[in-house]
Amino acid sequence: MQTYRLGNTGPEVSVLGLGCMGMSGMYGPADRAESIATIHAALDAGINLLDTGDFYGMGHNEMLIGEALKGRSRDKVVLSVKFGALRDPAGGWNGYDSRPAAIKNFLAYTLKRLDVDYIDIYRPARLDPAVPIEETVGTIGDLIKAGYIRHIGLSEVGAETIRRAAAVHPICDLQIEYSLISRGIEGNILPACRALGIAVTAYGVLSRGLISGHWQKGQGSSAGDFRGMSPRFLDGNIDQNLALVEELRKIAEAKRVSVAQIAIAWVAAQGHDIVPLIGARRRDRLTEALGSRAVTLTASDMAAIENAVPKDAAAGSRYPTAMLKHMDSER
């Protein structure tokens, strides 16, 4: 598989990454054996970038990946880990902690759960309003000097925070939601990244399945499924959003590819500095996503897609209001 350097200073990564969050309950129950088989299939297909968070399943996701990597060559895998989100025993969310002592504590547990000696890319999951980004980045920089981390990434922060962080230490990438129906980064955030030589690892390229072409109204009601409270999946919004998918389906069928492949290919076509993270948790979905690499979008295709799914056409915000107000990228 083709690879890109992640930003000016980052590692070489495959042009698609595998986002592993869905394997640990965020979208309802997942099958452990199938999850591990999917990770293996991704690695065998040439995907080397695996994305996780220490709070996914309260450590479950890291342990799952650690198990999947047994017997695999460590230096052929790029592990991207988010830290800082606080959970309670019931699975609730309790804010973020990016104090230096907390970062070192989070990292110690991550290394143990993944059973590795270092993390390739370490990033705060969100901006901690109580800790200056300079302090957070400086602490991670010290951990790079100590050999525990290779590169620093950011997640869901705005242009000013990106610039402040990059002034302290080179940043290889910003992880942020980007899809046909989530294009907020195009205003200020993406230009700031490009000016600083920072890549984008784009999650939510299928909007949590909404624009995959497989989603049907009424799904996502399993306990713990984030989509059960996501505005775009709720009554009042879902019909309008699925209507956009049907317009996209017409373009996909004309090219004899799937809706998901068109949606992934659109994100990939935005530039070599953007790496889509595929949230597949089954091998069949992974195979479909890999097929997006064979999709070539012409100027005519791009215009048709823009007409079918105009910017800001989606109904509902990408997160509930209570979560958005704490996101630096939304300010």
Side-chain angles (χ1 to χ4, degrees):
M1 183 177 288
Q2 186 181 1
T3 61
Y4 299 146
R5 179 167 297 283
L6 202 60
N8 288 346
T9 62
E12 286 283 328
V13 300
S14 48
V15 293
L16 294 177
L18 181 65
C20 299
M21 182 181 76
M23 299 175 182
S24 294
M26 298 295 288
Y27 297 142
D31 181 272
R32 186 178 189 85
E34 180 62 22
S35 295
I36 290 175
T38 300
I39 294 172
H40 287 167
L43 295 173
D44 292 342
I47 290 178
N48 72 341
L49 176 60
L50 301 182
D51 181 77
T52 185
D54 62 12
F55 49 93
Y56 292 168
M58 282 73 82
H60 173 275
N61 205 240
E62 289 181 325
M63 291 187 287
L64 180 78
I65 293 172
E67 182 178 347
L69 294 182
K70 295 295 184 186
R72 298 275 174 160
S73 177
R74 170 67 185 91
D75 62 2
K76 293 184 178 179
V77 179
V78 177
L79 292 172
S80 170
V81 179
K82 291 179 289 298
F83 70 86
L86 303 176
R87 307 291 300 271
D88 64 29
W93 302 88
N94 283 326
Y96 300 92
D97 191 347
S98 289
R99 294 172 299 163
I103 295 173
K104 294 171 186 176
N105 180 76
F106 291 139
L107 177 62
Y109 280 82
T110 282
L111 293 170
K112 182 65 68 175
R113 286 189 291 253
L114 285 167
D115 193 21
V116 296
D117 296 325
Y118 66 92
I119 301 301
D120 297 277
I121 309 169
Y122 205 50
R123 70 182 81 242
R126 298 288 187 270
L127 181 68
D128 181 346
V131 180
I133 191 62
E134 291 86 352
E135 187 173 342
T136 300
V137 170
T139 299
I140 304 174
D142 290 341
L143 292 168
I144 289 177
K145 294 175 184 176
Y148 295 117
I149 297 167
R150 297 286 173 85
H151 305 279
I152 301 177
L154 298 171
S155 178
E156 287 288 358
V157 293
E160 181 58 29
T161 300
I162 293 167
R163 286 189 281 265
R164 288 170 53 195
V168 176
H169 192 282
I171 305 297
C172 70
D173 74 310
L174 170 70
Q175 187 175 120
I176 196 164
E177 186 170 1
Y178 188 41
S179 73
L180 271 167
I181 63 172
S182 295
R183 296 173 58 179
I185 71 169
E186 294 175 351
N188 298 316
I189 293 174
L190 184 56
C193 286
R194 286 177 165 162
L196 293 165
I198 297 171
V200 168
T201 43
Y203 76 86
V205 294
L206 297 179
S207 197
R208 298 174 177 81
L210 178 58
I211 59 171
S212 67
H214 302 297
W215 189 264
Q216 295 180 0
K217 188 176 180 179
Q219 289 180 264
S221 58
S222 301
D225 192 326
F226 170 79
R227 293 168 295 197
M229 66 176 197
S230 178
R232 289 179 175 170
F233 290 84
L234 301 181
D235 288 342
N237 294 330
I238 186 64
D239 290 331
Q240 178 176 327
N241 294 331
L242 288 179
L244 296 174
V245 176
E246 292 311 304
E247 291 302 308
L248 191 60
R249 194 185 303 278
K250 296 174 184 177
I251 300 170
E253 289 178 347
K255 292 185 71 68
R256 298 184 179 181
V257 299
S258 73
V259 176
Q261 288 167 342
I262 281 281
I264 296 167
W266 182 89
V267 174
Q270 302 309 307
H272 290 175
D273 55 350
I274 298 177
V275 177
L277 294 174
I278 306 305
R281 52 181 178 167
R282 295 184 351 219
R283 283 168 287 181
D284 59 338
R285 294 290 190 249
L286 173 67
T287 298
E288 180 182 27
L290 289 168
S292 69
R293 298 302 306 147
V295 178
T296 299
L297 298 178
T298 66
S300 177
D301 292 331
M302 295 295 279
I305 292 169
E306 185 73 25
N307 185 61
V309 188
K311 186 175 182 179
D312 300 325
S317 57
R318 60 192 184 99
Y319 281 93
T321 302
M323 299 179 74
L324 281 175
K325 69 180 183 180
H326 295 298
M327 293 172 67
D328 186 64
S329 55
E330 292 292 320
R331 296 188 179 128

